[in-house]
């Protein structure tokens, strides 16, 4: 009966290590150890033939029976069931053989060979069961590992997903921030552009200042001079009246009248200059009104010329005008067209004032007379204003860019690069056209054509 | 005695003629006017030798400036006196004018008293 108890011993030990929660008894582990001790004791008894064989076998049967019953009925011991399935036939046959041998020795000896055969097959069964169960366990183990792996992957995936979500949120926040920054930059740019346009206006006004001062000083001098003259004439008139010299009186009165007219005309001239300066610097664009283009062109030509003269003493150039006396009045915003004219004329003077034009002319062996010419001409349905210089001309590669904003050939700080761009827009805004013709070494001609009704 | 006044402002003529009307009437003063440097040279070249004895010229004029005219007059007619009248009375213009042989340098607005002194001295 040693082998059965050994089986019981290992089975108990197996259960001790593999029972599931919850514990079926308050002290399952201790109970099983006691069971193991009992099995070991019974095994020793059986092996040594000490003590009554029947009692030992009976106790062994009870132990094995209780054990198998427990395994089959208690859910916590369910892991022992495959082992029970494996050993049950063998254990049943050996106990049957044992008790047959003890209780019915004569009958048993007759069927001993049968029992031995049965034991043999039961043993093979047990081994086969053990082997199958081991395979199943291994397969289960593999599945479990796969499941664990999947679980780990799932956890990892979740983690990555969470990470990605955070990154997406961060990126979205970044993009939103960038978008806001860009929008702000755009707003700033627009504001800057407006400021630049205003700055250009003011810069051209600044260029005008000296010219304006000169242009106002001259009529003002005349006003003062003719006033003084009239004062003197009045004294003379008094003397003549005392003498009763009628001819002299008449002559003096005529002079007084003429001088008075001059005072008025020069006063108006100064007023006109101040007015156009104020118009030029005005922020909002003005209204279209009938404008004498010849007068406007002449005014800005003089302002530009005297402005440059006052700024640079060494500057000199000739200007010529060829105005069409039959020019109709045009419906234009006069200060805007004035700005265009001022820009083109300033550029023209700038072109003829440089060294290049002079050198080019001298290399051809001629004397260079820097000249800016402004002409007007009435054409069918339109009026053409030309600003012509005999400067160095504009190279082809620059011609395309010349009307682009911020394009300038002047040294940094001297030109905003907005003059021609704004001029182009202003002329377009009047339904007109601004174009240029230029020959290298000969000069440039800007043509403003404006529609006339 | 002929005096030439050069200025691109045409009303200068009326002004001068009235300012010096007494001198013109009784003092033997004759005024001629030119409105550009070139016109001034043309007037000076009308007779040989020129009748004009004194030239008063503005400096800032389109085309030929007063300073250029001064140089040309001094080269061609060294005996003719030339004085400048300019709105820009800076030292640069002044030095240039005096170096080129200008007799006097008057600034605008014109002080007719000093101008009259200059002309009267010439007449006597």
């Amino acid at each position: 009966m040693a082998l059965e108890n050994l089986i019981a011993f290992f089975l108990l030990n197996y259960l001790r290590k593999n029972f599931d929660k919850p514990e079926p008894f308050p002290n399952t582990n201790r109970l099983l150890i006691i069971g193991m001790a009992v099995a070991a004791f019974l095994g020793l008894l059986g092996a040594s033939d000490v003590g009554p064989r029947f009692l030992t076998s009976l106790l062994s049967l009870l132990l094995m029976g209780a054990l198998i019953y427990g395994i089959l009925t208690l859910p916590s011991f369910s892991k022992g069931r495959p082992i029970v399935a494996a050993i049950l036939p063998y254990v049943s046959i050996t106990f049957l053989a044992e008790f047959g041998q003890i209780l019915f020795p004569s009958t048993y000896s007759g069927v001993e060979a049968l029992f031995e055969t049965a034991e043999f097959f039961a043993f093979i069964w047990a081994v086969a069961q053990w082997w199958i169960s081991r395979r199943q366990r291994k397969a289960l183990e593999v599945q479990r590992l796969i499941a664990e792996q999947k679980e780990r992957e799932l956890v990892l995936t979740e983690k990555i997903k969470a990470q990605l979500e955070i990154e997406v949120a961060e990126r979205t926040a970044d993009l939103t921030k960038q978008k806001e920054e860009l929008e702000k930059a755009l707003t700033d740019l627009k504001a800057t552009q407006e400021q630049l346009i205003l700055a250009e206006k003011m810069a051209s006004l600044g260029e005008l200042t000296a010219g304006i001062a000169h242009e106002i000083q001259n009529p003002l001098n005349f006003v003062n001079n003719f006033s003084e003259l009239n004062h003197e004439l009045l004294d003379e008139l008094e003397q003549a009246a005392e003498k009763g010299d009628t001819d002299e009186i008449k002559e003096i009165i005529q002079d007084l009248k003429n001088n008075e007219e001059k005072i008025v005309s020069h006063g108006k001239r100064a007023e006109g200059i101040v007015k156009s300066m104020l118009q030029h610097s005005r922020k909002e664009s003005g209204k279209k009104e009938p404008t004498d283009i010849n007068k406007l062109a002449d005014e800005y030509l003089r302002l530009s010329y005297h402005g440059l003269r006052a700024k640079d003493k060494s500057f000199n150039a000739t200007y010529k005008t060829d105005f069409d006396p039959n020019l109709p009045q045009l419906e234009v915003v006069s200060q805007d067209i004035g700005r265009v004219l001022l820009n083109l004329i300033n550029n023209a003077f700038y072109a003829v004032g440089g060294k290049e034009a002079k050198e080019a002319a001298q290399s051809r062996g001629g004397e260079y007379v820097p000249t800016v010419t402004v002409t007007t001409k009435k054409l069918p349905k339109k009026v053409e204003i030309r600003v012509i210089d005999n400067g160095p001309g504009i190279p082809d590669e620059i011609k395309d860019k010349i009307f682009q904003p911020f394009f300038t050939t002047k040294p940094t700080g001297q030109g905003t690069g907005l003059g021609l761009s704004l001029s182009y827009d202003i002329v377009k805004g009047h339904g007109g056209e601004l174009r240029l013709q230029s020959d290298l070494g000969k000069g440039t001609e800007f043509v403003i054509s404006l529609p006339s009704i | 005695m002929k005096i030439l006044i050069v200025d691109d402002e045409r009303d200068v003529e009326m002004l001068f003629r009235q300012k010096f009307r007494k001198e013109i009437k009784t003092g033997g003063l004759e005024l001629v006017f030119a409105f550009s440097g070139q016109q001034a040279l043309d007037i000076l070249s009308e007779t040989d030798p020129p009748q004009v004895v004194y030239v008063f010229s503005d400096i800032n004029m389109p085309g030929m400036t007063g300073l250029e005219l001064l140089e040309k007059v001094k080269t061609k007619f060294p005996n003719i006196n030339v004085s400048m009248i300019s709105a820009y009375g800076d030292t640069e213009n002044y030095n240039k004018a005096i170096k080129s042989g200008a007799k006097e340098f008057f600034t605008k607005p014109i002080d007719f008293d000093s101008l009259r002194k200059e002309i009267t001295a010439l007449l006597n």
Side-chain angles (χ1 to χ4, degrees):
Chain A
M1 268 303 48
L3 191 60
E4 286 76 6
N5 282 307
L6 197 62
I7 289 169
F9 181 85
F10 284 114
L11 193 53
L12 281 161
N13 193 39
Y14 178 81
L15 281 180
R16 198 167 64 80
K17 285 175 183 164
N18 289 298
F19 70 83
D20 296 322
K21 305 264 167 177
E23 295 187 27
F25 308 105
N27 285 309
T28 317
N29 196 40
R30 219 173 123 204
L31 203 67
L32 290 168
I33 288 173
I34 291 167
M36 282 164 72
V38 173
F41 177 69
L42 290 173
L44 282 174
L45 275 184
S48 59
D49 276 345
V50 181
R53 184 178 172 187
F54 177 75
L55 187 65
T56 309
S57 295
L58 190 65
L59 287 173
S60 297
L61 177 66
L62 282 173
L63 179 66
M64 182 60 86
L67 186 54
I68 287 172
Y69 178 79
I71 287 170
L72 292 180
T73 53
L74 295 171
S76 301
F77 292 156
S78 61
K79 278 195 187 133
R81 282 174 198 170
I83 302 172
V84 172
I87 59 162
L88 191 59
Y90 178 78
V91 173
S92 308
I93 289 166
T94 48
F95 273 110
L96 208 57
E98 175 72 7
F99 286 105
Q101 209 178 349
I102 296 169
L103 298 175
F104 314 105
S106 53
T107 323
Y108 177 77
S109 57
V111 292
E112 194 177 3
L114 198 67
F115 269 102
E116 276 173 2
T117 313
E119 264 179 44
F120 175 71
F121 281 112
F123 182 75
I124 287 174
W125 164 264
V127 171
Q129 280 297 312
W130 168 78
W131 190 69
I132 287 165
S133 115
R134 189 167 155 260
R135 266 186 56 181
Q136 279 178 346
R137 226 175 38 241
K138 274 191 177 167
L140 275 173
E141 185 67 11
V142 169
Q143 271 180 5
R144 192 179 62 80
L145 284 174
I146 289 170
E148 270 178 14
Q149 181 67 26
K150 277 191 178 159
E151 180 74 15
R152 273 204 300 276
E153 278 172 9
L154 194 71
V155 168
L156 200 68
T157 312
E158 286 293 325
K159 220 168 143 189
I160 290 169
K161 205 176 130 199
Q163 183 66 34
L164 275 175
E165 266 166 18
I166 290 167
E167 276 177 20
V168 167
E170 279 172 359
R171 188 62 59 85
T172 309
D174 280 357
L175 284 173
T176 312
K177 206 176 144 212
Q178 274 182 5
K179 185 180 149 261
E180 278 163 9
E181 280 171 1
L182 281 173
E183 273 171 357
K184 193 179 169 287
L186 189 67
T187 317
D188 287 355
L189 265 177
K190 277 183 182 162
T192 310
Q193 194 188 21
E194 274 167 27
Q195 277 173 359
L196 270 172
I197 289 170
L198 192 65
E200 201 280 332
K201 238 178 177 176
M202 289 302 155
S204 62
L205 185 68
E207 280 176 14
L208 277 183
T209 317
I212 288 165
H214 181 269
E215 284 296 276
I216 293 176
Q217 186 64 53
N218 269 344
L220 218 54
N221 286 341
F222 277 116
V223 168
N224 288 337
N225 288 332
F226 281 113
S227 298
E228 276 172 32
L229 255 182
N230 278 2
H231 197 79
E232 291 167 17
L233 284 175
L234 285 170
D235 287 344
E236 286 176 25
L237 186 64
E238 231 170 25
Q239 289 166 14
E242 275 168 22
K243 275 191 233 164
D245 187 341
T246 326
D247 287 348
E248 173 80 357
I249 291 174
K250 277 182 183 168
E251 200 183 309
I252 292 173
I253 287 177
Q254 191 53 47
D255 281 350
L256 278 169
K257 273 186 178 171
N258 291 345
N259 291 350
E260 197 57 39
E261 268 172 32
K262 286 292 165 197
I263 290 171
V264 170
S265 92
H266 284 287
K268 286 226 166 103
R269 185 176 148 200
E271 184 191 312
I273 291 158
V274 172
K275 256 188 190 164
S276 66
M277 179 186 75
L278 288 177
Q279 267 186 346
H280 186 88
S281 63
R282 208 181 282 162
K283 261 190 183 178
E284 75 274 17
S285 63
K287 278 181 191 158
K288 284 188 180 178
E289 54 204 353
T291 305
D292 182 345
I293 298 293
N294 286 345
K295 200 173 148 236
L296 194 72
D298 190 52
E299 190 180 311
Y300 277 97
L301 181 60
R302 294 176 68 88
L303 283 179
S304 174
Y305 175 79
H306 288 295
L308 290 166
R309 273 311 291 265
K311 216 159 68 172
D312 178 7
K313 301 286 170 339
S314 64
F315 167 84
N316 192 39
T318 310
Y319 63 77
K320 290 180 191 158
T321 54
D322 180 11
F323 293 146
D324 188 342
N326 299 319
L327 210 67
Q329 291 217 326
L330 294 187
E331 281 281 329
V332 296
V333 184
S334 60
Q335 79 256 34
D336 282 355
I337 296 299
R339 283 176 71 195
V340 175
L341 286 166
L342 182 70
N343 263 314
L344 297 181
I345 293 166
N346 272 347
N347 285 351
F349 276 126
Y350 190 86
V352 297
K355 272 181 271 169
E356 297 163 59
K358 200 174 179 179
E359 281 163 8
Q362 279 165 352
S363 72
R364 287 199 301 270
E367 198 197 347
Y368 182 58
V369 186
T371 310
V372 172
T373 311
V374 180
T375 70
T376 57
K377 200 168 169 61
K378 180 181 184 288
L379 292 171
K381 288 186 184 175
K382 64 176 179 179
V383 161
E384 269 187 1
I385 310 158
R386 285 166 195 266
V387 178
I388 306 155
D389 68 65
N390 61 348
I394 299 163
D396 281 341
E397 62 265 28
I398 290 177
K399 270 184 197 163
D400 299 337
K401 293 183 215 154
I402 208 156
F403 293 116
Q404 285 172 12
F406 306 114
F407 178 80
T408 178
T409 56
K410 290 183 186 170
T412 313
Q414 288 195 23
T416 58
L418 286 172
L420 277 179
S421 153
L422 284 175
S423 298
Y424 189 84
D425 291 345
I426 289 169
V427 175
K428 279 269 161 196
H430 280 80
E433 213 185 321
L434 177 60
R435 56 178 201 276
L436 78 136
Q437 289 159 243
S438 187
D439 287 324
L440 273 183
K442 285 185 182 166
T444 305
E445 185 173 328
F446 278 90
V447 185
I448 310 164
S449 64
L450 293 170
S452 60
I453 310 143
Chain B
M1 193 183 56
K2 233 178 195 177
I3 289 176
L4 174 63
I5 316 283
V6 190
D7 199 311
D8 59 327
E9 293 272 6
R10 286 176 184 267
D11 283 344
V12 162
E13 178 167 2
M14 195 173 152
L15 185 66
F16 271 74
R17 285 200 188 286
Q18 287 190 54
K19 276 282 178 190
F20 293 100
R21 55 201 237 136
K22 275 183 197 159
E23 286 83 354
I24 293 168
K25 259 187 181 171
T26 57
L29 176 67
E30 193 184 339
L31 292 180
V32 278
F33 291 86
F35 305 110
S36 73
Q38 191 54 51
Q39 206 186 339
L41 287 177
D42 292 346
I43 288 170
L44 291 180
S45 308
E46 272 170 5
T47 56
D48 187 24
Q51 293 176 342
V52 173
V53 294
Y54 205 141
V55 175
F56 289 91
S57 175
D58 183 23
I59 289 184
N60 284 284
M61 295 182 291
M64 190 189 299
T65 68
L67 291 173
E68 283 166 351
L69 177 66
L70 167 66
E71 275 180 38
K72 283 186 177 159
V73 171
K74 278 287 156 192
T75 321
K76 276 191 180 174
F77 317 104
N79 294 329
I80 298 178
N81 283 324
V82 182
S83 284
M84 310 313 292
I85 305 174
S86 174
Y88 303 104
D90 53 288
T91 44
E92 198 186 327
N93 267 338
Y94 178 84
N95 291 338
K96 246 188 197 171
I98 298 301
K99 226 175 94 186
S100 302
K103 189 167 181 293
E104 297 291 337
F105 193 99
F106 298 95
T107 52
K108 282 185 182 176
I110 304 167
D111 175 7
F112 278 98
D113 287 340
S114 58
L115 203 64
R116 180 168 284 118
K117 255 185 215 163
E118 179 75 14
I119 290 174
T120 316
L122 202 74
L123 287 171
N124 299 331

